[in-house]
Amino acid sequence: MPDAVAVSWSDLLAGAASWSSLVAVVFGYLAGSIPFGVILTRLGGAGDVRQIGSGNIGATNVLRTGRKSLAVGTLLGDMFKGTVAVLIAAAYGGPVAAILAGGAAFLGHLFPVWLGFRGGKGVATYLGLLIGLAWPLAIVFAGMWLLVALLTRYSSLSALIATAATPVIFLFVGEQALAAVFAMMTVVLWIRHAENIRRLLAGTEGRIGDRKKKAAS
């Protein structure tokens, strides 16, 4: 894929066992663990987002505060912290470091040490990693998410469909290492959305814009 970080699976495994890769992982985790949803809602006087709606720290739940600016800020922060982690790691450690930093940033968002390892569900950060690692696919991902969201108003369903398609597209264009990495992240993201999946099947999942229903982003 043009404009994608090109790394073979063997190179990724070989490059992972180095000090630069360890530094990239630590840096990526710390960058990903910045809880923009919590920080921005508190600074904006909207309280603790963990006490609102689903209790999730992501942008969809921040939107339930009624403050669209805070939700947009959270979305951009959660997204670009992944992008920044990838780009900085790529500049100093190369493509293997970039991929490792990206994966660590994703885990940092899901399990931030600052919040007792109880973080978000990773959709915005997942997109941010795509921007840094393969920006054309990030556009495809965003398009799929927006289409499903416009048709259904389900944030969770949009994320599930877009993330399921991502590793398949990587595999189709011959990026096997990225396909494997994003497949693993997709599995973790789907596990984090287990309650959403149950509510979708039961027809009780909250929709985008709901402020009172217990729905997760």
Side-chain angles (χ1 to χ4, degrees):
M1 172 182 281
D3 297 307
V5 173
V7 176
S8 68
W9 187 238
S10 59
D11 288 342
L12 182 60
L13 292 176
S18 68
W19 283 108
S20 61
S21 294
L22 177 60
V23 172
V25 167
V26 173
F27 168 71
Y29 174 83
L30 292 176
S33 68
I34 301 172
F36 283 100
V38 175
I39 294 171
L40 293 179
T41 51
R42 285 183 172 175
L43 290 177
D48 189 340
V49 69
R50 293 170 294 178
Q51 305 301 319
I52 298 169
S54 66
N56 189 260
I57 66 172
T60 301
N61 197 47
V62 172
L63 185 60
R64 296 188 181 105
T65 65
R67 303 279 296 278
K68 293 182 180 179
S69 61
L70 296 179
V72 171
T74 299
L75 174 64
L76 294 177
D78 286 346
M79 181 169 61
F80 287 120
K81 66 185 181 184
T83 306
V84 169
V86 165
L87 295 181
I88 291 178
Y92 287 96
V96 171
I99 294 174
L100 294 175
F106 178 75
L107 293 177
H109 178 73
L110 268 60
F111 309 106
V113 63
W114 327 111
L115 302 180
F117 302 101
R118 298 178 63 182
K121 297 190 175 180
V123 180
T125 305
Y126 189 107
L127 175 56
L129 301 184
L130 283 174
I131 293 173
L133 293 169
W135 68 263
L137 190 48
I139 295 175
V140 175
F141 180 100
M144 287 189 290
W145 192 99
L146 287 170
L147 178 61
V148 178
L150 287 172
L151 292 175
T152 68
R153 287 182 53 228
Y154 286 126
S155 173
S156 56
L157 181 61
S158 303
L160 292 169
I161 291 175
T163 54
T166 297
V168 176
I169 297 174
F170 271 128
L171 192 61
F172 180 76
V173 298
E175 297 290 348
Q176 296 183 354
L178 288 174
V181 170
F182 276 89
M184 288 186 284
M185 288 194 291
T186 296
V187 170
V188 175
L189 188 146
W190 273 59
I191 292 173
R192 296 284 286 183
H193 281 77
E195 288 295 327
N196 302 84
I197 294 171
R198 281 191 279 270
R199 286 194 294 268
L200 285 167
L201 294 174
T204 59
E205 175 73 319
R207 297 176 186 266
I208 296 172
D210 291 347
R211 296 180 60 181
K212 296 181 179 181
K213 294 180 75 171
K214 296 280 185 177
S217 62

